[in-house]
Amino acid sequence: MIYRISEFAEKCGVNKETIRYYERKNLLQEPHRTEAGYRIYSYDDVKRVGFIKRIQELGFSLSEIYKLLGVVDKDEVRCQDMFEFVSKKQKEVQKQIEDLKRIETMLDDLKQRCPDEKQLHSCPIIETLT
Amino acid sequence: MIYRISEFAEKCGVNKETIRYYERKNLLQEPHRTEAGYRIYSYDDVKRVGFIKRIQELGFSLSEIYKLLGVVDKDEVRCQDMFEFVSKKQKEVQKQIEDLKRIETMLDDLKQRCPDEKQLHSCPIIETLT
DNA sequence: CTTTACCGTGTACTATGGTACACGGTTTAT
DNA sequence: ATAAACCGTGTACCATAGTACACGGTAAAG
């Protein structure tokens, strides 16, 4: 099973420009080419893009994924490295959650300051923030 | 109390380029000028930038702040509008928190798959994601 | 009076994650 | 044989929130 870029992109569920973009970013290695220079992909490449997309959804940036793929491609000490990578991201996500919770509390505090009669012209929220 | 741009930016705790940027984005109205064309700011302007910065920390984008300042500047129905604005953002923040919690759970699931012996070469995390 | 510090404008650049388009060559279908 | 569909490269563009710099005028200090 081999694909040219359009079919490949479709299989991956992304735009073909995105494939070229990932190639520029070295998330995908240089693909094989036809004599005319057309890119050729295999099903393994589909799996690789699937991996990128799934881990991206877990909050990893493309540059993090690039580093991660370096480890995966080297095929060394993968388990340890993956565990640390995921643990680090988990801590980051936990921190983001805490930050957002604080913000949510503040937004709620602001709402509490509003009078029942909301047609008033002096706004306590604005006064609190200025 | 009157400031030129550098002192003003310092009072606000931002870069002076940021002040010019906010002016371009119409978050700050055109300031008064000296005869030579130098921008002049008052303490009210410091408060305005303070408002922008504080509400930005609550997760509002500059374009949202722009809309909000339009309401504040019109000085009409402020209370109602502010209440709705803050409520809408609170819902967004709550959704972000839920999304991040799901991600955190998934990251934790991934970690659980790791064997005790982490020097192994076959990584269950990678296998799960591909 | 000259040097330094400051200010003006405009433009380009940063990072992130792509998208869009122009121009030219290739492949496929009719 | 020719048109449509596809692919190549390179470059520009989108939003977001600024930062940096070049070039020239102004203000303040010595």
Side-chain angles (χ1 to χ4, degrees):
Chain A
M1 268 304 175
I2 60 176
Y3 314 107
R4 289 195 311 196
I5 196 167
S6 282
E7 194 182 3
F8 175 59
E10 200 185 330
K11 281 262 181 300
C12 295
V14 303
N15 196 308
K16 69 186 160 69
E17 307 293 338
T18 303
I19 298 298
R20 295 213 312 120
Y21 178 72
Y22 285 0
E23 188 183 318
R24 283 205 298 286
K25 291 276 164 177
N26 294 311
L27 297 171
L28 301 177
Q29 58 276 67
E30 285 268 303
H32 295 188
R33 303 270 184 153
T34 65
E35 280 165 40
Y38 287 16
R39 289 171 178 81
I40 287 175
Y41 299 95
S42 69
Y43 189 68
D44 276 352
D45 297 316
V46 178
K47 287 196 290 185
R48 189 182 179 93
V49 174
F51 173 77
I52 293 169
K53 281 304 188 186
R54 269 184 291 282
I55 200 155
Q56 194 182 27
E57 276 167 28
L58 295 178
F60 291 85
S61 71
L62 292 187
S63 71
E64 286 174 318
I65 296 170
Y66 170 75
K67 291 193 202 95
L68 191 56
L69 286 169
V71 173
V72 172
D73 290 344
K74 263 189 319 193
D75 213 41
E76 287 172 0
V77 209
R78 305 195 313 187
C79 213
Q80 181 78 27
D81 290 350
M82 274 304 293
F83 186 83
E84 282 163 15
F85 221 84
V86 169
S87 299
K88 185 161 159 274
K89 177 55 66 175
Q90 190 189 19
K91 285 204 188 69
E92 284 171 29
V93 168
Q94 282 165 353
K95 188 175 176 310
Q96 282 176 50
I97 290 171
E98 291 317 307
D99 289 348
L100 284 172
K101 277 183 178 167
R102 258 194 301 282
I103 285 166
E104 211 251 296
T105 303
M106 285 194 282
L107 289 170
D108 212 56
D109 285 352
L110 284 178
K111 279 173 66 182
Q112 300 307 317
R113 290 168 199 266
C114 281
D116 292 335
E117 177 51 75
K118 299 218 168 39
Q119 297 309 322
L120 290 178
H121 275 235
S122 87
C123 172
I125 291 182
I126 291 168
E127 264 138 50
T128 305
L129 292 170
T130 50
Chain B
M1 267 304 173
I2 267 179
Y3 315 106
R4 289 195 309 195
I5 196 167
S6 282
E7 195 183 1
F8 175 59
E10 201 185 330
K11 281 264 180 300
C12 295
V14 303
N15 196 308
K16 68 186 161 69
E17 307 293 338
T18 303
I19 298 296
R20 294 213 313 121
Y21 177 72
Y22 284 0
E23 187 183 317
R24 282 204 298 286
K25 291 274 163 179
N26 295 309
L27 298 171
L28 301 177
Q29 57 277 67
E30 285 269 303
H32 295 183
R33 304 268 184 154
T34 65
E35 280 165 40
Y38 287 15
R39 288 173 180 79
I40 286 175
Y41 298 95
S42 69
Y43 190 66
D44 275 351
D45 298 317
V46 177
K47 286 196 289 185
R48 190 181 179 93
V49 174
F51 174 77
I52 292 170
K53 281 305 191 187
R54 269 185 291 282
I55 200 153
Q56 193 182 27
E57 275 167 29
L58 295 178
F60 291 84
S61 70
L62 293 188
S63 71
E64 286 174 318
I65 296 170
Y66 170 75
K67 291 193 202 95
L68 191 56
L69 286 170
V71 173
V72 173
D73 290 343
K74 263 191 320 196
D75 213 42
E76 288 172 1
V77 207
R78 305 195 314 187
C79 212
Q80 179 78 28
D81 290 350
M82 274 305 291
F83 187 83
E84 281 163 16
F85 220 84
V86 169
S87 299
K88 185 161 159 274
K89 177 56 68 175
Q90 190 188 17
K91 284 203 188 71
E92 284 171 30
V93 168
Q94 281 165 353
K95 188 176 177 307
Q96 281 178 50
I97 290 171
E98 290 317 306
D99 289 348
L100 284 172
K101 277 182 178 168
R102 259 194 299 283
I103 286 167
E104 211 250 298
T105 303
M106 285 193 282
L107 289 169
D108 212 56
D109 286 351
L110 285 177
K111 278 172 68 183
Q112 301 307 316
R113 291 167 198 266
C114 281
D116 292 336
E117 178 51 76
K118 300 220 169 33
Q119 296 310 321
L120 290 178
H121 276 233
S122 87
C123 172
I125 290 182
I126 292 168
E127 266 139 49
T128 306
L129 291 170
T130 50

